[in-house]
Amino acid sequence: MKAAMRILLTFFLVLPAIAHASDLRGTGSLGLVIERAAGSVLIVDFMARRTVGRVQGLGDLSHASAVFSPDQRYAYVFGRDGGLTKVDLLTASIARRVVQAGNAIGGAISDDGTLIAVSNYEPGGVRVFAADTLEPVGTIPAIGADGKSSKTVGLVDLPGRRFAFALYDAGEIWVADLSAPEALTVEKLTGVGKLPYDGNVTPNGRHYLAGLFGEDGVVHVDTWQAPLQARRILDRYGRGEEALPVYKMPHLEGWAAVGDRLLLPAVGRHELIAVDMRSFAEAGRVATHGQPVFAVARPDGRQVWVNFAHPKNDTIDVIDVQSMKLIHRFAPGPAVLHLEFTPRGNEVWISVRDANRIDIYDTATFTKKAEIAAEKPSGIFFTARSTRIGQ
């Protein structure tokens, strides 16, 4: 009798845990979709191809981006209004939110996941926060060699609790070392070129590249060098040709790193420029449908998918990397703003802003597999980014 009572008691103690287990969810298949006009984000599950939550109250998301904590539970969303919002993906709620500037343009998380850095247009500079509390840790004013404050852009994380970014107005690139935040150091590279507008780092964290909006060229910094040096590559890639009107800048944060090459969108051109990652010399060009905005490599590196600026922003080109030729072109719908591959590249999610939906395609057959409703969607970010340098 006593044994039977013990079994019954154990059953009732375990029953609530079993019932609760059905509500548990992993984070590896989750992601965010930015609903730019509504100031909200969708939490999505790419394996189930569905929305699992919506979080509202994130402010101006007209140029929003996100990074993830190492455990993939939290997303840090950078709003254009200077808002920095920590979103809990499991509870679909805001864990913390601060408005840290008047106008911001993205951010990054340190390699150890403890620091969040935000680049600002107004008042300029970079502000750094503790990832767990969003309490301020430090400020890096962006005062260029000309003595004037500058907008900061192209902010990425580097190994060793470092961040690289460009000073748009001053034409400089800085690398900040926050391994000891109370005594942070900044290495400054001046006179790199006119209006560095965006930047990214290669997947190994070694090579930082910033595009120049004020002239034809790209700046390369080998972060393994000591001291650091800025080197011009693709200098005068327009070769005297008249540039096309630029309706939207390309995003070097969306370049394609494939094997020993980079494929970069060219400012004012209907083409991608290939760069040899050993010599950083031009290695070819690919003609495209329009002016590329994002050139995104499928995770295996075999394909690069490209979207375009207005007025040709309803179309995507798919480039085969081995042949460097266009293999597929299609038009998902009006205002294709962003695309994100699932971690192993079997599917791609595409935001079609003016159709208020996300389209999901098979990357082998190019067939459409599903749609998800979203209100004016733009950026799509999956938690797999938490394991990648510079993302």
Side-chain angles (χ1 to χ4, degrees):
M1 184 65 178
K2 289 182 180 179
M5 288 296 292
R6 282 197 299 270
I7 293 172
L8 190 61
L9 180 60
T10 300
F11 174 79
F12 282 112
L13 288 174
V14 172
L15 185 60
I18 294 174
H20 181 65
S22 65
D23 299 326
L24 296 179
R25 179 184 301 279
T27 57
S29 65
L30 298 182
L32 288 182
V33 174
I34 304 294
E35 294 185 307
R36 56 184 293 158
S40 57
V41 296
L42 296 181
I43 299 174
V44 295
D45 184 326
F46 69 76
M47 291 182 66
R49 302 192 193 104
R50 68 184 183 93
T51 298
V52 297
R54 173 181 270 114
V55 183
Q56 298 176 312
L58 277 74
D60 183 353
L61 299 183
S62 58
H63 196 288
S65 60
V67 297
F68 297 94
S69 59
D71 63 5
Q72 301 181 340
R73 176 168 180 174
Y74 297 102
Y76 299 87
V77 180
F78 308 100
R80 192 58 185 265
D81 58 358
L84 168 59
T85 309
K86 183 177 180 179
V87 175
D88 189 328
L89 300 178
L90 293 181
T91 62
S93 63
I94 293 176
R96 185 76 192 275
R97 174 174 165 80
V98 297
V99 178
Q100 55 82 46
N103 190 339
I105 197 72
I109 185 168
S110 61
D111 58 356
D112 63 356
T114 63
L115 300 174
I116 304 294
V118 190
S119 59
N120 292 314
Y121 272 13
E122 178 60 44
V126 171
R127 296 195 67 195
V128 183
F129 299 85
D132 53 354
T133 63
L134 296 194
E135 291 298 320
V137 171
T139 299
I140 308 171
I143 307 300
D146 59 4
K148 299 178 181 178
S149 180
S150 175
K151 304 179 184 70
T152 55
V153 293
L155 174 64
V156 300
D157 64 279
L158 299 178
R161 250 187 165 197
R162 295 180 299 159
F163 297 96
F165 54 94
L167 277 63
Y168 178 80
D169 304 292
E172 301 181 15
I173 292 173
W174 292 7
V175 175
D177 185 336
L178 282 91
S179 54
E182 67 282 357
L184 71 89
T185 61
V186 180
E187 195 164 354
K188 303 176 181 180
L189 304 176
T190 61
V192 303
K194 296 179 181 178
L195 306 180
Y197 67 88
D198 207 351
N200 203 353
V201 66
T202 50
N204 63 357
R206 177 173 181 176
H207 301 286
Y208 179 82
L209 276 75
L212 298 174
F213 188 66
E215 53 190 304
D216 288 351
V218 175
V219 183
H220 165 232
V221 178
D222 183 342
T223 67
W224 290 8
Q225 284 186 332
L228 298 176
Q229 294 180 359
R231 172 189 172 198
R232 288 289 294 273
I233 63 172
L234 306 181
D235 204 22
R236 296 180 57 79
Y237 57 72
R239 293 183 177 85
E241 300 170 12
E242 184 178 355
L244 297 168
V246 178
Y247 298 102
K248 182 174 177 58
M249 289 186 193
H251 282 272
L252 283 194
E253 65 190 30
W255 70 21
V258 285
D260 59 0
R261 283 180 289 184
L262 301 173
L263 285 176
L264 309 179
V267 175
R269 309 281 159 195
H270 287 187
E271 61 188 7
L272 299 175
I273 302 179
V275 177
D276 186 310
M277 275 206 290
R278 294 160 299 189
S279 65
F280 285 89
E282 182 176 330
R285 301 194 183 195
V286 181
T288 58
H289 171 72
Q291 293 182 43
V293 176
F294 288 105
V296 185
R298 199 173 69 179
D300 66 348
R302 180 61 191 270
Q303 296 174 356
V304 172
W305 292 49
V306 189
N307 74 331
F308 303 101
H310 177 83
K312 296 187 175 185
N313 60 352
D314 64 342
T315 298
I316 284 181
D317 278 0
V318 182
I319 309 299
D320 174 73
V321 171
Q322 189 172 32
S323 65
M324 291 286 282
K325 294 185 182 300
L326 174 73
I327 59 170
H328 188 61
R329 176 177 287 163
F330 67 110
V336 173
L337 295 195
H338 199 245
L339 55 95
E340 179 86 337
F341 289 97
T342 52
R344 298 197 183 191
N346 61 306
E347 292 181 352
V348 63
W349 288 42
I350 300 170
S351 60
V352 189
R353 183 194 64 192
D354 292 352
N356 292 305
R357 70 172 193 265
I358 301 294
D359 288 351
I360 303 169
Y361 285 83
D362 185 294
T363 59
T365 64
F366 307 120
T367 56
K368 186 174 176 179
K369 302 183 79 169
E371 293 181 1
I372 293 178
E375 189 172 344
K376 300 298 181 187
S378 55
I380 306 169
F381 306 92
F382 292 152
T383 56
R385 287 172 172 252
S386 69
T387 65
R388 303 173 194 158
I389 296 170
Q391 295 196 19

